[in-house]
RNA sequence: GCCCCUGUAGCCAAGGCCGGCAAGGCAUCGGACUUUUAAUCCGCAGACCGUGGGUUCGAAUCCCACCGGGGGCACCA
């Protein structure tokens, strides 16, 4: 008799369901292969028909295999029939195909590997409640088609990016997550406290300033692929903790970063899905390089149907014209904004979400780009771009500002905004300025939102579908439903 | 923080406007069945209708508050 409590300490499957299907493709219905196999996985379905029992085993290999258990062959037949949907089972026996043509393992021996003491979700409807899907991902991964696939795509894409960067001579590094001064992005940080040092730390909002210190230190091609944290609202595109690829390349500028963005995205897509064509909702989108390159001025002008000036201080005629246009489009502006700043606001509010095909939106106002170098030929603008696809920002990059004096001025401007109530404005990082004063060569830097990229590759509408355990409000019992 | 939608058995879900014993299906449990594919057939059981208050002879249903989830806004790359 099989005692349900008698769980083995180890088990050795000899083959996966996927491999069985591949190996026995030519086995005819009603035929036996003469080959034995041992499989293990979770029982997803069970059909008892008197002296015959069928089970469907999912072994997470991307396929499923039927267990064929005749009473005359299967030991402890009654107990086998009593298995629950959701139980983990190991079974071995001859590989055969039933009369109806289903490839099966005839159960000549079997072990219960773990019992599911909770009823497994409905085999037909699955989990309809998205809340439960995210809170109990361990169930969702088995039950919801596509969930596991999304994370396989994620894994493959990330591996491809690492491989691509390694091939280009980039060094992967890890910089602090606990920052004494939050910096590198305009974002509100999480605050935490170190007891022994008795001081507050901020969870990093970007690794940027540390990575550029490394360029100063001679790591001329560096990248970090890791989690960053921003204390902001949640949305289908925003998670409080998310994964960012940041890389810096000495002697390069933002044009080089465009090529790199295209190449990395295409490599990730090809490795993960076999194609650079992705499907998002009803529409498809092609990540094949090169992507469209357009300036923010061009895009906004295109969208509004009139030429808008990018140059001009807050009191200029240009700014006044832009302000009127913003009002016409229902975009709120503030008194002190330059023409370029107003342009950027219109872009963010009205244009970005309309850009479907991959596009490099180039040349942002200097005021909103405190770490980017001034444009070599356009006044008031910085050499910065954002890559947008499916109406969502995918990457942000610039030719890095290397001059310590100008960087100090930019920090000062941020401090000024901070004092007038902008809690996301940056604070001056003296050590970073010191690093710059040792000399930062011309450098291109790129930040690529990994979750956003994976969303594209999976066709996911929400970032929660590409994060295994997305941030949710904790429940009283932390997840029970 | 604000607005809209939403919460009925382990799972899927009807009912809600117009108050009157809380449908049905899957799973569980018992029975039949040696080639099933959401197996089928028969039977049993399972619900403080998200929580608390109010209106009413009577509330899943109407009202208020709170809690969870989704979407939008705000915030934000």
């Amino acid at each position: 008799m099989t005692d349900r409590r008698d769980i083995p300490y180890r088990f050795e499957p000899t083959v996966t369901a996927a491999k069985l299907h591949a190996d026995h493709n030519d086995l005819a219905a009603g035929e036996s292969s003469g080959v034995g196999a041992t499989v293990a996985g979770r029982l997803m379905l069970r059909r008892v028909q008197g002296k015959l029992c069928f089970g469907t085993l999912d072994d997470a290999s991307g396929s499923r295999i039927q267990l064929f258990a005749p009473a005359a062959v299967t030991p402890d037949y009654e107990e086998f029939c009593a298995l629950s949907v959701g139980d983990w089972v190991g079974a071995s026996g001859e590989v055969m195909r039933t009369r109806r043509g289903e490839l099966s393992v005839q159960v000549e021996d079997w072990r219960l590997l773990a019992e599911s003491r909770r009823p497994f979700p409905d085999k037909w409807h699955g989990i309809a409640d998205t809340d439960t899907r995210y809170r109990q991902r361990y169930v969702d991964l088995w039950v919801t088609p596509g969930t596991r696939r999304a994370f396989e795509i994620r894994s493959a894409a990330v591996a491809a990016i690492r491989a691509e960067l390694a091939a280009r001579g980039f060094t992967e590094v890890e910089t602090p997550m606990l920052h004494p001064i939050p910096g590198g992005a305009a974002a509100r940080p999480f605050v935490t406290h170190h007891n022994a040092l008795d001081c507050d730390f901020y969870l990093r909002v970007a690794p940027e300033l540390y990575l550029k210190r490394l360029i100063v230190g001679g790591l001329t091609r560096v990248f970090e692929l890791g989690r960053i944290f921003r204390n902001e609202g949640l949305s289908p595109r925003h998670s409080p903790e998310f994964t960012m690829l940041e890389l810096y390349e000495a002697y390069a500028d933002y044009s080089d970063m465009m090529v790199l963005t295209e190449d990395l995205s295409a490599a990730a897509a090809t490795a993960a899905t076999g194609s650079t064509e992705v499907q998002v909702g009803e529409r498809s989108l092609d990540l094949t390089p090169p992507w469209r390159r357009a300036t923010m001025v061009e895009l906004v002008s295109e969208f509004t149907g009139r030429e808008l000036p990018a140059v001009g201080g807050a009191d200029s005629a240009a700014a006044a014209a832009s302000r009127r246009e913003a009002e016409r489009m229902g975009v709120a502006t503030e008194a002190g904004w330059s023409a370029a700043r107003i342009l950027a606001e219109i872009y963010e509010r009205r244009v970005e979400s309309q850009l479907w095909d991959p596009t490099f939106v180039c040349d942002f106002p200097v005021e909103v780009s405190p770490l980017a170098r001034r444009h070599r030929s356009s006044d008031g603008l910085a050499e910065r771009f954002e890559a947008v696809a499916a109406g969502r920002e995918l990457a942000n990059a610039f030719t890095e500002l290397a001059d310590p004096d100008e960087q100090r001025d930019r920090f000062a401007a941020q401090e000024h905004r901070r004092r007038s109530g902008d809690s996301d404005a940056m604070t001056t990082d003296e050590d970073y300025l010191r690093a710059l004063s040792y000399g930062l060569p011309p450098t291109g830097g790129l930040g690529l939102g990994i979750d956003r990229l994976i969303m594209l590759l999976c066709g996911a509408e929400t970032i929660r579908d590409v994060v295994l355990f997305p941030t949710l409000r904790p429940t009283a019992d932390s997840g029970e439903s």
Side-chain angles (χ1 to χ4, degrees), chain A residues 2 6-16 37-42 57 59 65 67 80 88-93 105-114:
Chain A
T2 296
D6 179 24
I7 304 292
Y9 279 78
R10 69 189 298 277
F11 193 80
E12 207 164 304
T14 58
V15 67
T16 63
T38 301
V39 291
R42 201 185 273 275
L57 192 77
D59 68 355
I65 186 72
L67 301 181
F80 185 84
W88 290 75
V89 180
S92 53
V105 171
Q106 178 167 277
V107 183
E108 290 151 21
D109 194 12
W110 67 279
R111 294 295 296 270
L112 176 68
L113 301 179

Side-chain angles (χ1 to χ4, degrees), chain A residues 49-76:
Chain A
Q49 195 185 333
K51 295 282 185 288
L52 206 51
C53 178
F54 301 88
T56 301
L57 192 77
D58 189 329
D59 68 355
S61 65
S63 189
R64 291 177 172 189
I65 186 72
Q66 176 166 272
L67 301 181
F68 175 80
V73 172
T74 302
D76 301 316

Side-chain angles (χ1 to χ4, degrees), chain A residues 422-436:
Chain A
D422 183 354
S423 60
D424 296 331
M426 296 182 195
T427 47
T428 304
D429 185 330
E430 288 294 342
D431 181 67
Y432 177 64
L433 291 171
R434 177 165 52 209
L436 290 187

Side-chain angles (χ1 to χ4, degrees), chain A residues 65-368:
Chain A
I65 186 72
Q66 176 166 272
L67 301 181
F68 175 80
V73 172
T74 302
D76 301 316
Y77 178 74
E78 294 300 320
E79 283 73 24
F80 185 84
C81 292
L83 286 171
S84 298
V85 168
D87 283 346
W88 290 75
V89 180
S92 53
E94 187 175 10
V95 179
M96 43 85 71
R97 198 177 284 280
T98 60
R99 282 178 219 165
R100 288 296 191 86
E102 184 74 26
L103 190 70
S104 309
V105 171
Q106 178 167 277
V107 183
E108 290 151 21
D109 194 12
W110 67 279
R111 294 295 296 270
L112 176 68
L113 301 179
E115 62 178 334
S116 178
R117 299 189 188 187
R118 290 170 180 272
F120 222 61
D122 191 283
K123 64 192 176 192
W124 189 239
H125 298 98
I127 310 175
D129 188 7
T130 53
D131 181 27
T132 308
R133 286 189 47 217
Y134 299 138
R135 289 190 196 276
Q136 300 181 216
R137 190 67 99 179
Y138 36 86
V139 178
D140 182 46
L141 283 164
W142 287 103
V143 169
T144 309
T147 298
R148 209 184 289 150
R149 166 132 181 88
F151 296 101
E152 284 161 0
I153 285 176
R154 181 165 186 135
S155 172
V158 168
I161 287 172
R162 281 206 163 92
E164 194 73 15
L165 288 170
R168 290 162 191 258
F170 280 85
T171 305
E172 180 167 10
V173 297
E174 293 178 272
T175 63
M177 295 238 180
L178 299 176
H179 289 189
I181 301 167
R188 200 177 319 171
F190 287 94
V191 188
T192 188
H193 186 79
H194 189 279
N195 290 337
L197 294 176
D198 189 26
C199 64
D200 284 343
F201 280 97
Y202 302 89
L203 300 189
R204 66 178 180 190
V205 295
E208 171 149 359
L209 300 183
Y210 284 98
L211 292 172
K212 280 189 278 190
R213 283 172 170 97
L214 295 179
I215 298 276
V216 172
L219 294 172
T220 53
R221 292 184 178 197
V222 283
F223 77 95
E224 178 160 10
L225 205 167
R227 211 72 63 84
I228 65 181
F229 309 87
R230 299 189 180 177
N231 204 342
E232 290 155 2
L234 291 76
S235 90
R237 289 160 292 283
H238 299 267
S239 173
E241 52 175 306
F242 61 104
T243 302
M244 178 91 107
L245 166 69
E246 277 206 21
L247 65 87
Y248 293 85
E249 179 177 357
Y251 320 126
D253 67 6
Y254 77 149
S255 299
D256 298 308
M257 294 301 106
M258 290 184 211
V259 175
L260 200 45
T261 303
E262 289 168 339
D263 289 351
L264 290 175
S265 303
T270 305
T273 70
S275 163
T276 48
E277 190 102 352
V278 300
Q279 189 79 25
V280 180
E282 300 294 295
R283 303 177 65 184
S284 68
L285 180 152
D286 194 349
L287 293 171
T288 308
W291 301 352
R292 182 184 179 194
R293 287 151 166 77
T295 66
M296 183 183 283
V297 174
E298 286 164 359
L299 288 166
V300 173
S301 300
E302 199 173 277
F303 187 77
T304 59
R306 63 186 79 178
E307 205 66 34
L308 282 182
V311 185
D315 301 324
S316 66
S322 295
R323 185 163 283 119
R324 274 195 303 277
E325 189 60 27
E327 276 163 20
R328 194 178 70 84
M329 309 201 61
V331 174
T333 59
E334 286 173 24
W337 288 3
S338 68
R341 179 71 183 81
I342 295 168
L343 192 82
E345 191 72 9
I346 297 174
Y347 164 73
E348 278 186 18
R349 299 281 171 202
R350 293 290 179 270
V351 182
E352 182 183 270
S353 62
Q354 305 302 313
L355 297 173
W356 182 262
D357 292 315
T359 305
F360 291 110
V361 182
C362 305
D363 304 342
F364 280 58
V366 174
E367 302 152 78
V368 296

